[in-house]
Amino acid sequence: MASFMATLSQIIALVRKELLALIKEPASRALLIAPAFLQALLYGYGATYDLTHVPYAVLDQSRSAASTELLARLDGTGVFVREATLTSSQQIAGVVDAEKALLVLSIPPDFETRLALSQSAPLQLVLDGRNSSTAGSAASHVGAIVAAYNASLGAGAPGIRVERRAWFNPNLESRWNMMPGLIAALSMLQTLVLAALSVAREREQGTFDQLLVTPLTPMQILIGKALPSILIGLLQSTIIFLIIRFWFEIPMQGSVWLLYFGLIVFTVASVGVGLSISALSLTMQQAMLYSFLLIMPLMLLSGLFTPVRNMPEVLQLATYANPLRFGMNIVRRVYLEGADLIDIWREFIPLLVLAATTLPLAAWLFRNRLS
Amino acid sequence: MRHPEFVRRFIALLRKETRQMLRDRSNLAVGLLLPVALILLFGYGLSFDVKNAPVAVVLEDSSPIAREAVAGLQGSTYLAPAWVANMDAAERLLRAGDADGIVRVPLDFSRRLATGDARIQLVLNGVNSTTAQTVEGYVNGAIATWAQKQADRAGNKAPAVGRVEVVQRMWFNEAGNSTWYLVPGLIVLVLTLIGAFLTSLLIAREWERGTLESLFVTPVRPLELIFAKLVPYVVVGAIDLMLCLLAARFLFEVPLRGSLTILLLASMLYLLVSLLLGLFISGKTRNQFQASQLAMLVSFMPAMMLSGFVFDLRNVPLVIQGVAQLLPATHFMGLIKTLFLAGDHGPTILRSVAILSLYAVVLVVATQRTLRKSLD
Amino acid sequence: MSDGGATVVAEGLRKTFEAPGGGPLHAVGGVSMTLRAGELTALVGPDGAGKTTLMRMMAGLLKPDAGMLRVLDIDVAKDPQTVQDRISYMPQRFGLYEDLSVQENLDLYADLHGVPQNLRRERFGRMLEMTDMARFTDRPAGKLSGGMKQKLGLACTLVRSPDLLLLDEPSVGVDPLSRRDLWKIVQQLVDDENLSVIVSTAYMDEAERCAQVFVMHEGRLLAEGAPGALRERARGLTYVATPPSGTPARDLQARLIDAGTRIVDAVPKGGAVWFIRQPEAEERALDGLLIGIGYRSRPEELEDAFMMMLRQQQTKETHAAPEAPTPSPQAASNGNGDKPVIVVRDLVRKFGDFTAVASTSFDVARGEIFGLLGPNGAGKTTTFRMLCGLLPVSSGHLEVAGMNLRTARSQARARIGYVSQKFALYGNLTVRENLEFFGGAYGLRGQALRSRVAATIAQFGLEPAAISGLLPGGYKQRLAMATGLLHEPEILFLDEPTSGIDPLARRAFWRTITALAQAGVTVIITTHFMEEAEYCDRIAIQDAGKVLALGTPQAVREQAGLDGGADMNNAFIAIVEHGRAAGRGDGKGAGA
């Protein structure tokens, strides 16, 4: 018991020192807290696939009641905003090239006549394909409006209705998907670098030797180095979590305890990766560059931007070593789906395996890294 | 002396910076390996197109017509339907993340079809809204196709009504291929990362190690230091740019509709801005720890999230658009997408180049100020 | 610039920083001085005297808050660049590019200063010879030992002959041989090229070479003049005493230095003790102190005068005299008879094909002070790092308190203290935070931790709220030592602990060390102050990884074969030069 207390007090001394060194300078302190706020807000608003504002131009050569009604339906959505009314087809290229309009609707002169004759009336849609995914969703939006308009004319497919119900995200807002992912992703960005610099900084400044001659065991050093990064990571996650929950008001379905349990396991695994990089690096420059080199693929292959299932199989296999993939899954599923541990226990396995390899590796490297 | 003083000093510093860069393998790893990795990831790893989305199908109505109604789901490469015995099992799959959606054909389907009031229920996992919307689109499409065929076969003529048909043309990217807009964005990302990561420690390191104090009391001028630090990384960045352009042309076959010269010049200008931003961070913080955290924060995520690369800026609130306009990456992103896919559009080129040049000048002056020879 | 003109003129010069407590710290508080051109000028003073701040202002790196400062007849605050174009400056910690080789560092500075190629070859040759680095030109600067880095920094500064040369403690951590060579070069530059040099130094023998000496203390000028004139202050007060045979000189020295009312200063030297009498005390008063011990007066030196000035300041400020530490109870109880505490047998360490330590053997007994001396790069630090378990051995056997620290359980490390050559504490933490952390790491907690930290802060005269990284060099070194002693270790490894600290603090430090040794603590120490070897029970002189001499200071002096009365400095130089000559002769080197 006494020796346990002694071990504990040594670790506390180390953790205290690490935290002090981290937050001593106001600039460093700000750098660990403020970005979580700022980024959560910026990306919360900025990272959305949902169309909210589609500037369009119209070339209405029909100038009929039918065309006016169709355009009124378009304007009524609030999403489509008419930026220009064109008078000739030569003007189309101008507004699209200058990105004044994402799409141009061109209504032929015989539009109403053809409808009256029960013929099909072509509505020409020119899209700016520079961002093909926005263009694609704008097109399907227009398609839906046109279909509704057709239905009002009495056309349309016969007697079968698909009733949609979306679980977990009833309005299919992409922010609901993105933001819980950010709880894991944003904090990983900083904590991994934080952990990666922790030992490298001491090596560069010569203090690591002084640490190694103390009675601290590699395990104690490991815990002392890992805890502050983990705490900072969890603090950042908490900030982002609170912003999502109370600023963006995305309803939380699952248990906060399970969410934090997942976040802790995830943060421990990423700090393990960071510390391994740190133990391998001789200078801060190396630690920083190697962690950046790693972070890029981790982010891109996490499922934050594109679903893992869409990736080639080789890369899907590689993502098993990616803590962010599983950390993000856990957060999303607990937060949005209200998943229980029984639903998601599989997601913990890769994280635990990663932590169980990287942390001992780092501890071993502290003393045995050849200088 | 053959050279003017400053040329001689500049060459001496340049030699020093080049040696330091080449001597640390981590520099080359990030400078050359990272771009290659990103090219491959973007080219092959990232895709917004949904493929083989697992969908659980519950046929409560076991009549042939019900079976036929959802048979169309099978033919597509987008959906991977799996027949499930009952709704409980399907919901379990959905909850476990093993299905993106459930298509439920209710018990009374065929009876109500006869009365023209049939329902098919689609339950989606809304967590990934993009996937959910895509799945919805394909399911709707498959069922509508069947319904249309069914109607034609039955010969029951709906009253002839005119209908509007959308004739769609996607300019610049006829096939709607997402690679075409990801690859130009990739160039922005690579040049942003090179700048931020490789240069953001250069000055901070010299402050921390005390090398600047010795260097200051020599005839060296701050501007000479800045340019000597830039040049080696401009070369690395230029190599990366070439790699990206070659990959764009030959690996991903993205068309280049604008002028190559303008593209190269604009890219080099942006590279300069990006390297200068890293140097400025370095000089301002004088602290490697802070510099690396800042570099991380101002480069990768903003370039991904706020530059109009992945997310369209047209969809974000005005304030956020304002923030995005502050990023040099946003302006270069707009320019490079236009150059690749749309062609030389004079006003876009002029505006972006002017803004980027302004950034370059401001950053040179600001960085120079951080290198004023003073320990105060 | 004419001969005899002024190279630096300061009037009412002030520079104030913010003190750790928030108040003003007058680093330089109203200094007026005129430094003559074409001469060697010394700035001396204890830690925190403001020497570095003054130098930095001269170099145009800091702006004065008040007063006038003209360097080379240029107002340096207005036009620093013109001054920087014409002067050379070596900061206290010369920032070498560690990833560049020795040659590349030299080339860089030669290019920046525009040294023409034809001059360069001759100059580089001389520098490399002087610094004894001709063999290492391809080695990255980061792989050099601490002292070698210092020498390379000096070489980089001296790649050209500037109009004014500023050297901020150039010889900190430089061995006596190189120090001698370094001064030869500086002197030659002054003689041949009429160079003006300003040097700050902690070595009084260096100040003695200068034409003019300025003594600074807490930002003010205490005295100025030629060394001869300053020396006068100690006239008639200096003596040398011979300790009874069989007792170490340091016991007598300790007794004398503790008698503060009668004695200003005492140091062991050449087996005897040199001391200074308090001017207020009568010569008779010495008899009571030196019963049965012979003493005679000796010629005064600059160091004597300097020590007197410092002591006067100290009593004025009523600084607590350095208190002798309480003996470590742990150390006192943990003896295991006469077995040596440290055993080193045929220790070898190779880096690639470079042999840093070659077949070294020695023992250190409990309570012994063992000095490891040698030129820069001799392998002392490597030996230390192996003993402390920071570096695996290539071959051979070593035991510290009966075990190899590299493989021993962590508790074993609690019994040693280690002070590394480079300042290796957390720069952005305060003095107190550093001490509390290391105390905690060594398992101290609660009341025990608080009282040890408080005692250590008092003992070393530290300012607890100061940010460690911003301390003047000497105070950093004190903090490093304080940290090494905090947990009252049984065995102390001190790698150049006194480099760059002022004589007063050095005396206090050695008083602590001798007291610790009396209490049974084993001390292994490296130093470049050869007079400090006199405090040791035994010393070993190492060069190129080999032990050249091993024994008591007396025995080593005798081995040097110089006439009696040779001081350690000369003995050291003689032994190393002899060793190198023999090494060249048979290609293998002479073992001791």
Side-chain angles (χ1 to χ4, degrees):
Chain A
M1 192 60 201
S3 86
F4 173 74
M5 285 306 289
T7 304
L8 198 66
S9 86
Q10 283 174 318
I11 293 176
I12 290 171
L14 186 53
V15 170
R16 191 168 160 267
K17 186 273 292 179
E18 292 285 329
L19 282 174
L20 268 176
L22 276 183
I23 60 174
K24 189 93 191 167
E25 287 161 61
S28 305
R29 203 158 49 216
L31 213 49
L32 293 173
I33 309 291
F37 271 107
L38 266 173
Q39 295 190 100
L41 288 173
L42 273 177
Y43 304 149
Y45 285 113
T48 172
Y49 293 109
D50 307 332
L51 291 184
T52 57
H53 177 85
V54 178
Y56 77 101
V58 74
L59 173 62
D60 183 1
Q61 290 167 318
S62 150
R63 293 176 192 281
S64 58
S67 67
T68 311
E69 144 123 62
L70 183 65
L71 290 174
R73 281 174 181 256
L74 213 58
D75 292 335
T77 57
V79 171
F80 291 89
V81 178
R82 200 185 304 183
E83 290 288 338
T85 308
L86 310 180
T87 49
S88 91
S89 58
Q90 272 88 49
Q91 293 169 320
I92 295 180
V95 289
V96 173
D97 283 355
E99 292 183 274
K100 269 181 77 181
L102 176 68
L103 58 89
V104 179
L105 283 175
S106 171
I107 306 173
D110 57 353
F111 184 72
E112 196 174 34
T113 336
R114 291 181 76 107
L115 280 179
L117 294 173
S118 296
Q119 291 175 329
S120 92
L123 172 72
Q124 211 188 58
L125 181 60
V126 172
L127 292 152
D128 178 352
R130 271 172 279 192
N131 188 330
S132 57
S133 82
T134 315
S137 34
S140 59
H141 222 89
V142 172
I145 292 167
V146 169
Y149 177 73
N150 283 341
S152 76
L153 295 178
I160 189 162
R161 208 150 34 93
V162 177
E163 287 175 345
R164 183 196 80 183
R165 204 148 49 86
W167 281 11
F168 316 129
N169 181 2
N171 299 321
L172 292 181
E173 288 178 57
S174 61
R175 178 185 292 154
W176 285 37
N177 176 41
M178 187 53 79
M179 300 273 334
L182 289 181
I183 295 180
L186 289 182
S187 73
M188 188 197 73
L189 277 183
Q190 281 193 280
T191 40
L192 206 142
V193 177
L194 197 65
L197 288 178
S198 67
V199 178
R201 170 146 74 165
E202 294 221 23
R203 270 198 222 275
E204 180 162 329
Q205 295 174 351
T207 51
F208 203 59
D209 280 355
Q210 199 72 47
L211 206 61
L212 286 180
V213 297
T214 66
L216 295 171
T217 61
M219 249 325 147
Q220 283 175 317
I221 297 179
L222 180 78
I223 297 172
K225 287 271 160 202
L227 263 184
S229 299
I230 293 171
L231 288 177
I232 303 259
L234 289 174
L235 177 68
Q236 293 189 340
S237 297
T238 305
I239 292 172
I240 303 165
F241 168 66
L242 291 176
I243 289 180
I244 295 174
R245 182 67 193 81
F246 297 106
W247 179 266
F248 289 107
E249 296 181 333
I250 301 177
M252 163 91 173
Q253 303 295 344
S255 130
V256 179
W257 298 110
L258 183 56
L259 182 76
Y260 270 84
F261 178 58
L263 279 175
I264 289 170
V265 174
F266 160 69
T267 313
V268 169
S270 12
V271 165
V273 174
L275 283 177
S276 298
I277 294 177
S278 202
L280 279 168
S281 306
L282 287 176
T283 62
M284 293 170 78
Q285 163 106 352
Q286 286 179 1
M288 170 181 149
L289 291 182
Y290 286 134
S291 40
F292 285 172
L293 195 59
L294 200 65
I295 283 176
M296 294 305 126
L298 292 188
M299 292 288 285
L300 294 174
L301 295 179
S302 65
L304 182 65
F305 300 105
T306 61
V308 172
R309 202 183 287 130
N310 290 2
M311 296 168 192
E313 279 192 19
V314 187
L315 288 178
Q316 286 195 39
L317 269 180
T319 59
Y320 279 98
N322 183 355
L324 188 55
R325 173 185 170 184
F326 298 99
M328 218 160 61
N329 267 352
I330 292 173
V331 176
R332 273 181 181 162
R333 299 193 56 190
V334 173
Y335 194 115
L336 295 172
E337 301 180 12
D340 292 331
L341 189 56
I342 299 159
D343 299 323
I344 54 168
W345 63 273
R346 278 179 298 175
E347 312 271 347
F348 282 87
I349 295 174
L351 291 178
L352 291 170
V353 169
L354 199 64
T357 26
T358 51
L359 289 170
L361 176 73
W364 185 82
L365 283 170
F366 287 161
R367 199 166 272 281
N368 295 290
R369 166 81 163 91
L370 294 175
S371 39
Chain B
M1 202 125 308
R2 278 173 302 129
H3 298 298
E5 298 276 303
F6 71 89
V7 173
R8 194 199 58 229
R9 290 193 300 258
F10 175 73
I11 291 173
L13 288 170
L14 181 59
R15 199 178 297 142
K16 165 209 152 217
E17 295 293 340
T18 311
R19 281 184 175 135
Q20 287 189 298
M21 178 184 83
L22 292 176
R23 245 160 236 181
D24 196 330
R25 260 174 303 153
S26 64
N27 277 320
L28 295 181
V30 165
L32 301 175
L33 212 62
L34 184 62
V36 172
L38 287 177
I39 288 173
L40 296 177
L41 276 182
F42 272 81
Y44 300 110
L46 298 187
S47 167
F48 291 95
D49 315 321
V50 173
K51 259 183 298 176
N52 297 324
V55 174
V57 182
V58 183
L59 271 178
E60 292 177 350
D61 181 349
S62 55
S63 65
I65 196 146
R67 204 176 292 274
E68 206 180 292
V70 292
L73 297 176
Q74 244 169 337
S76 91
T77 57
Y78 308 109
L79 303 176
W83 269 258
V84 180
N86 55 41
M87 206 52 193
D88 277 353
E91 288 185 7
R92 264 202 304 278
L93 282 179
L94 192 70
R95 248 180 244 287
D98 293 332
D100 285 343
I102 303 170
V103 176
R104 178 191 189 193
V105 185
L107 201 52
D108 55 3
F109 177 76
S110 37
R111 187 168 54 79
R112 292 177 68 154
L113 187 65
T115 66
D117 180 31
R119 287 176 307 129
I120 288 181
Q121 202 180 44
L122 172 63
V123 180
L124 293 166
N125 182 339
V127 172
N128 190 335
S129 52
T130 323
T131 307
Q133 276 163 346
T134 320
V135 169
E136 182 186 5
Y138 293 136
V139 170
N140 279 339
I143 290 172
T145 312
W146 172 79
Q148 194 62 53
K149 252 191 250 159
Q150 185 72 9
D152 293 348
R153 224 179 317 164
N156 76 352
K157 295 257 180 313
V161 195
R163 42 182 294 141
V164 180
E165 246 167 50
V166 178
V167 183
Q168 176 182 324
R169 272 178 49 210
M170 180 101 79
W171 281 13
F172 313 132
N173 186 357
E174 285 73 11
N177 187 342
S178 64
T179 314
W180 281 22
Y181 83 87
L182 284 180
V183 168
L186 167 70
I187 297 177
V188 181
L189 194 64
V190 166
L191 297 184
T192 308
L193 296 185
I194 296 300
F197 293 176
L198 293 180
T199 53
S200 62
L201 292 190
L202 285 182
I203 299 176
R205 189 173 53 182
E206 295 222 20
W207 275 110
E208 277 188 13
R209 294 184 182 172
T211 46
L212 274 186
E213 188 176 351
S214 326
L215 212 55
F216 275 171
V217 190
T218 66
V220 164
R221 305 295 193 270
L223 263 188
E224 296 163 7
L225 267 173
I226 294 176
F227 286 107
K229 284 184 184 300
L230 280 181
V231 171
Y233 296 97
V234 168
V235 174
V236 173
I239 295 174
D240 294 336
L241 179 64
M242 289 309 145
L243 287 177
C244 290
L245 290 178
L246 288 175
R249 186 81 195 82
F250 297 107
L251 217 50
F252 307 126
E253 299 175 343
V254 179
L256 173 60
R257 297 189 174 125
S259 131
L260 181 64
T261 317
I262 295 176
L263 178 69
L264 286 176
L265 290 177
S267 303
M268 292 309 282
L269 177 63
Y270 179 71
L271 173 64
L272 199 66
V273 170
S274 164
L275 291 168
L276 277 166
L277 185 65
L279 268 190
F280 174 69
I281 291 175
S282 196
K284 191 72 194 166
T285 56
R286 300 186 178 183
N287 174 318
Q288 294 190 79
F289 170 73
Q290 290 171 10
S292 55
Q293 290 280 351
L294 258 181
M296 181 87 246
L297 291 170
V298 303
S299 59
F300 175 64
M301 287 301 269
M304 279 301 272
M305 310 282 269
L306 289 180
S307 67
F309 177 17
V310 176
F311 303 103
D312 202 307
L313 285 179
R314 280 173 284 230
N315 299 329
V316 307
L318 267 181
V319 184
I320 311 292
Q321 282 189 34
V323 174
Q325 293 302 321
L326 286 177
L327 301 173
T330 308
H331 299 279
F332 183 53
M333 185 72 74
L335 176 61
I336 199 166
K337 269 187 193 169
T338 301
L339 283 177
F340 260 103
L341 300 178
D344 295 333
H345 182 253
T348 307
I349 295 170
L350 282 181
R351 199 195 55 229
S352 312
V353 167
I355 292 173
L356 291 177
S357 308
L358 186 69
Y359 266 109
V361 173
V362 169
L363 282 169
V364 167
V365 174
T367 311
Q368 194 187 358
R369 288 174 64 91
T370 68
L371 275 173
R372 261 192 314 206
K373 296 186 173 184
S374 164
L375 303 176
D376 273 308
Chain C
M1 189 173 56
S2 65
D3 219 12
T7 172
V8 175
V9 181
E11 257 167 49
L13 196 60
R14 279 178 190 283
K15 182 72 194 177
T16 309
F17 298 109
E18 197 184 320
L25 173 79
H26 301 289
V28 172
V31 165
S32 299
M33 59 197 329
T34 303
L35 278 63
R36 291 192 296 269
E39 279 186 2
L40 262 163
T41 307
L43 288 178
V44 301
D47 305 331
K51 305 184 297 276
T52 297
T53 307
L54 190 58
M55 286 257 185
R56 284 178 169 173
M57 284 196 282
M58 290 178 189
L61 293 174
L62 289 176
K63 283 223 183 330
D65 292 326
M68 188 271 296
L69 178 62
R70 297 186 75 80
V71 176
L72 304 170
D73 220 25
I74 300 159
D75 185 342
V76 66
K78 281 214 186 81
D79 189 6
Q81 187 62 62
T82 312
V83 173
Q84 286 159 357
D85 287 352
R86 292 175 55 190
I87 67 170
S88 284
Y89 165 61
M90 179 184 175
Q92 217 171 56
R93 184 178 70 143
F94 190 91
L96 291 166
Y97 291 101
E98 304 214 330
D99 36 6
L100 298 186
S101 72
V102 168
Q103 186 65 51
E104 286 162 351
N105 270 290
L106 282 170
D107 283 336
L108 173 67
Y109 280 92
D111 286 335
L112 292 179
H113 284 296
V115 181
Q117 289 294 339
N118 50 350
L119 282 182
R120 219 177 266 198
R121 190 167 311 124
E122 183 265 343
R123 194 87 178 190
F124 282 1
R126 241 165 85 198
M127 290 298 148
L128 289 171
E129 191 194 351
M130 172 270 281
T131 52
D132 191 31
M133 276 194 302
R135 317 165 264 165
F136 300 131
T137 46
D138 292 333
R139 190 182 290 189
K143 293 244 159 79
L144 297 174
S145 73
M148 303 259 275
K149 283 182 190 160
Q150 191 72 5
K151 290 198 282 186
L152 177 56
L154 186 70
C156 287
T157 313
L158 291 177
V159 288
R160 65 146 181 190
S161 299
D163 293 340
L164 169 66
L165 178 61
L166 299 176
L167 303 172
D168 194 1
E169 308 225 12
S171 39
V172 166
V174 176
D175 66 71
L177 249 87
S178 315
R179 213 151 62 82
R180 186 190 63 183
D181 295 337
L182 180 159
W183 276 93
K184 230 187 259 170
I185 291 196
V186 172
Q187 192 65 54
Q188 208 174 351
L189 290 174
V190 174
D191 294 345
D192 299 353
E193 302 173 19
N194 211 10
L195 188 68
S196 310
V197 183
I198 304 173
V199 57
S200 75
T201 179
Y203 290 90
M204 287 309 130
D205 60 330
E206 294 182 351
E208 202 131 17
R209 297 163 178 265
C210 297
Q212 222 183 349
V213 177
F214 290 85
V215 183
M216 291 186 68
H217 186 264
E218 300 199 336
R220 285 171 200 289
L221 217 52
L222 220 53
E224 62 172 288
L230 291 173
R231 241 183 345 243
E232 290 288 310
R233 297 172 181 234
R235 171 151 297 175
L237 301 173
T238 53
Y239 302 88
V240 52
T242 320
S245 58
T247 63
R250 68 165 192 250
D251 289 353
L252 178 58
Q253 183 264 345
R255 190 140 58 86
L256 289 175
I257 206 157
D258 287 346
T261 51
R262 280 172 284 182
I263 305 292
V264 174
D265 182 40
V267 282
K269 205 164 193 178
V273 177
W274 290 29
F275 68 96
I276 312 169
R277 169 168 62 87
Q278 284 284 8
E280 297 84 25
E282 302 282 316
E283 201 175 55
R284 293 197 303 277
L286 296 177
D287 294 336
L289 201 60
L290 294 160
I291 302 160
I293 292 167
Y295 68 94
R296 55 189 163 79
S297 63
R298 60 174 171 91
E300 70 278 1
E301 293 187 351
L302 185 60
E303 174 144 2
D304 299 319
F306 182 60
M307 288 308 292
M308 284 183 64
M309 283 188 258
L310 293 189
R311 283 284 186 222
Q312 276 162 13
Q313 290 298 324
Q314 198 186 36
T315 35
K316 237 187 265 171
E317 291 147 21
T318 64
H319 261 295
E323 43 183 295
T326 46
S328 155
Q330 189 191 23
S333 63
N334 260 3
N336 28 349
D338 297 337
K339 255 189 82 186
V341 176
I342 293 172
V343 180
V344 175
R345 289 282 172 276
D346 303 317
L347 188 66
V348 175
R349 174 68 213 193
K350 291 182 172 162
F351 295 104
D353 52 2
F354 171 74
T355 307
V357 173
S359 188
T360 293
S361 305
F362 60 83
D363 292 343
V364 182
R366 208 171 81 80
E368 197 176 13
I369 304 179
F370 186 82
L372 203 50
L373 311 183
N376 301 125
K380 305 185 299 290
T381 301
T382 309
T383 308
F384 258 57
R385 287 173 57 80
M386 286 190 285
L387 287 173
C388 296
L390 289 170
L391 200 65
V393 302
S394 296
S395 69
H397 170 79
L398 64 81
E399 257 177 49
V400 174
M403 59 200 121
N404 183 341
L405 286 178
R406 192 156 177 83
T407 50
R409 291 177 56 80
S410 72
Q411 285 87 337
R413 289 197 295 275
R415 296 161 65 184
I416 66 156
Y418 171 69
V419 177
S420 71
Q421 201 175 67
K422 191 178 153 193
F423 177 74
L425 302 173
Y426 299 99
N428 62 351
L429 299 190
T430 65
V431 168
R432 181 187 295 282
E433 286 161 353
N434 262 305
L435 288 172
E436 282 176 350
F437 163 61
F438 280 103
Y442 278 102
L444 294 171
R445 59 200 145 113
Q447 186 53 41
L449 176 63
R450 279 193 294 279
S451 64
R452 274 307 292 155
V453 168
T456 308
I457 284 173
Q459 187 189 340
F460 286 90
L462 296 166
E463 167 61 57
I467 302 290
S468 313
L470 302 179
L471 290 173
Y475 278 94
K476 275 187 188 161
Q477 204 62 35
R478 287 189 203 184
L479 175 59
M481 280 177 340
T483 311
L485 288 173
L486 194 64
H487 59 292
E488 304 177 300
E490 280 171 63
I491 306 167
L492 250 182
F493 291 91
L494 304 166
D495 198 359
E496 296 187 26
T498 50
S499 279
I501 71 173
D502 66 57
L504 223 54
R506 264 171 26 220
R507 302 286 191 275
F509 165 75
W510 274 104
R511 190 67 197 85
T512 308
I513 293 298
T514 50
L516 285 171
Q518 266 164 0
V521 176
T522 311
V523 179
I524 303 194
I525 186 165
T526 71
T527 178
H528 288 308
F529 290 95
M530 287 305 132
E531 71 264 26
E532 293 185 349
E534 310 265 5
Y535 289 103
C536 299
D537 292 303
R538 284 187 311 140
I539 56 174
I541 295 182
Q542 230 181 355
D543 188 30
K546 292 190 265 306
V547 174
L548 300 180
L550 179 67
T552 62
Q554 182 67 28
V556 169
R557 275 196 304 274
E558 280 163 14
Q559 187 190 330
L562 299 173
D563 296 338
D567 65 9
M568 208 55 181
N569 214 33
N570 294 329
F572 174 85
I573 292 175
I575 286 173
V576 172
E577 284 188 332
H578 181 256
R580 286 185 182 169
R584 273 193 289 276
D586 60 20
K588 282 199 131 193

